[in-house]
Amino acid sequence: MTLRLPRRLSATAAAYVVCAALFAFATIHSSSFASAGHVRQLLVFASFIGFAGLGETLVILGGGLDLSVPWLMALGGMQLSIWASGGMPSGLAILLLVGIGALIGIVNGLGVTLLRIPPIIMTIGTGALVEGYLMKVGLNSSSAVTAPKAAQTLVENHVAGIPVVALVWLGAAIVTWWVLKRTVFGRSLYATGANEAVARLAGTRVIAVRVTTYAASGAAAVFAGILLAGYIGQAYLSMGAPYLFSSIAAVAIGGASVLGGSGSYWGTVAGAGTLTILAALLPTFNLSDAALNIVYGLVILLAVGASRFARRGSA
Amino acid sequence: MSAVATPTREKARAAGISLKRLPRGQWGTVLLLAALVVADFAVQPNLADVDQIGLLLQTAMPAVLLAAAQTLAVLSRGVDLSVGSVMVTTNVLVATKLGGIDGSHMGLIVPIVAVGAAAGLINGALIAYGGLEPFVATLASWAIFNGVALLILPTDGGAVPTTITNLVIGKVGPIPSSYVGVAIVLAFWWYLRRSPLGVRILAVGSDESRAFLNGIDVRRTKLLVYALSGLIAGLAGIYLAGATSSGTPAAGDGFLLPSLAAVVIGGTSLAGGRGGIGLSVMGVMVLTFITDLVTNLQLPSWVAVVANAAMLLLVVSLRSLPNVLSRKETP
């Protein structure tokens, strides 16, 4: 009997091999790495990249790119804090903000599809508009606003030893998987990313599909910003900056093609895990941010190489 | 001379490139820039001064160089996400390895320039011979070179030789050296565009397989594109060191998205093969003059950010409008 992995899985599987190997290595190096408390913390960290990368995965699957993620994250954190300190109930504020994120995403999607503006440019543009707005409300980049209790509760509480945010993340991942694999939208998205012209001829509503991915990306990015603000305890203009890189890097490490049409959200989850484990592991070797950046780059090359190898092996 | 020029022209024609016709939208960029310059001068008459404009050009120069580097990658139908991080790598090398303000190891400037080119060569090798998408390869090197810069100099600081500072802030005869800097960039593009390599870059960017069928070594061309891009980004880092008199290892990321914005505002197509560094220089100046105008109107700084973003979206919308209306496919 031979063991055969389903072909579609292999690029994602490669990402999990990288992630698991790193975790094993970290555990061997320092046994406290795998302690419940530390894993819990890693899960919370990973969920920030996980949500920022969720929308990015959908957009990239459809052949696009969303560079407005960092500013939408800052919007989520800062506006929530401003509204909450003004007396608005946090639950309502979070819902409104996620809705606003989706609306900004729709603007991105319409610009890309109807006006045919390249995704890179459209999302840089809306991102900068949001940045300008945040500079206005935050007055300057160094001013930070305190995050409300609700956002802090989301990242601090846990159920049965598992952080609430990780459960929400798992739920989001399952929904995303189901939508991608089991719905017309999911099929249409892969078809659009693989070949837009062919998808259109086959009757796919290409514009609706792509706009939806940008809307999801806007909503997810804002939500990630809310979580991040809850974790840090405050919100500031540059809080999302590292996620410009890590949201895309998680997708790339997860084995998705940056040209669209192939990949999965489970891959991005592994990518988020990989980036998070590395960030936690390197300081135990007394290595700084500098080394972390270098290792991030090398891991992207390694993971992309591995997923190519996996794909070639199964082709 | 003509012995070189003729086959180049023929190859260009065969690959569907006109060396004479400038890209559509170029005049739009010229008019836009002219309007902004006039508006800025109207608001701030003092600006109409050789030294004042020189200062504006000096501030814009690192962005001009990065936009030039980015343009080469975009023309070949790629992208270079590492321009900012290559810039800070050479920037911190200048601030730490040349022997402080005395510049006692000034000779090391040559290997530092080479570092930029080598960084670009790595990108080029990964893309041309490793078969990686430019986006992925330079996503990785973006992180790697940012890390290298932080490794060399963890926080802002260091000391820059006065030779370099004087070169950047000094004058050539009566005019500030920043004019010469911009002129060199434009002259470089004027030369490159007519050179066999320039034609190959445009050919590869407009249609890779057609370029290949015309006997162009596509891989070697891409390798050289990214090597040049790295070299120019590295020069930007040296210039920035001179302009700020210190090393700034974390400054790179702030330059990345503006470099793409400047290329697109200038009118170079992200689909490759159409556009040029001259246009991107105008793109940088459009963004520079908007920011300067906002400052001179004594508006808060967020207005400049919003105005730059609005200008970017407006310009690209207007450019793509004819295509949208005629229902032509745009990549």
Side-chain angles (χ1 to χ4, degrees), chain A residues 65 67 114-118 120-122 124-126 128-129 131-133 135-136 200 244-245 248-249 252 258-259 288-291 293-294 296-298 300-301 304 308, chain B residues 126 130-133 135-137 139-140 142-144 146-148 150-151 257 260-261 264 270 301-302 305-306 309-310 312-313 316-317 320-321 323-324 327-330:
Chain A
L65 190 69
L67 298 183
L114 294 185
L115 287 176
R116 307 220 182 124
I117 297 172
I120 293 185
I121 297 308
M122 187 65 207
I124 288 178
T126 51
L129 287 177
E131 179 193 7
Y133 166 75
M135 281 169 78
K136 182 178 183 293
R200 192 182 288 122
L244 174 64
F245 172 80
I248 304 168
V258 291
L259 300 177
S288 61
D289 267 7
N293 272 296
I294 295 172
Y296 272 179
L298 294 176
I300 290 174
L301 293 178
V304 171
R308 280 176 163 246
Chain B
L126 287 170
L132 291 184
E133 283 302 320
F135 189 86
V136 175
L139 179 72
W142 170 15
I144 291 172
N146 261 341
V148 169
L150 282 169
L151 210 57
L257 299 185
L260 283 162
V264 170
L270 286 183
S301 58
W302 64 266
V305 174
V306 169
L312 173 66
L313 292 178
V316 286
S317 303
S320 78
L321 212 56
N323 290 327
V324 174
R327 294 176 158 231
K328 256 195 293 184
E329 291 291 329
T330 51

Side-chain angles (χ1 to χ4, degrees), chain B residues 23 71 75 189 193 202 267-269 273-277 279:
Chain B
T71 306
L75 280 177
W189 174 238
R193 214 174 145 264
L202 291 171
T268 296
S269 164
R274 276 182 301 137
I277 288 175
L279 292 175

Side-chain angles (χ1 to χ4, degrees), chain A residues 156-176:
Chain A
E156 278 167 10
N157 287 13
H158 27 82
V159 176
I162 303 167
V164 175
V165 61
L167 291 172
V168 176
W169 183 22
L170 180 66
I174 291 171
V175 169
T176 307

Side-chain angles (χ1 to χ4, degrees), chain B residues 21-27 193 267 274-276 279:
Chain B
R21 193 173 55 89
L22 291 174
R24 189 176 47 165
Q26 190 222 15
W27 292 110
R193 214 174 145 264
R274 276 182 301 137
L279 292 175

Side-chain angles (χ1 to χ4, degrees), chain B residues 246-327:
Chain B
S246 74
T248 47
D253 287 6
F255 281 87
L256 171 59
L257 299 185
S259 79
L260 283 162
V263 168
V264 170
I265 286 184
T268 296
S269 164
L270 286 183
R274 276 182 301 137
I277 288 175
L279 292 175
S280 302
V281 172
M282 284 197 282
V284 173
M285 293 323 293
V286 164
L287 294 174
T288 306
F289 272 104
I290 291 175
T291 309
D292 196 58
L293 192 58
V294 168
T295 315
N296 287 336
L297 287 170
Q298 300 188 325
L299 297 169
S301 58
W302 64 266
V303 177
V305 174
V306 169
N308 276 351
M311 182 59 75
L312 173 66
L313 292 178
L314 185 72
V315 166
V316 286
S317 303
L318 287 177
R319 280 227 185 81
S320 78
L321 212 56
N323 290 327
V324 174
L325 294 178
S326 66
R327 294 176 158 231

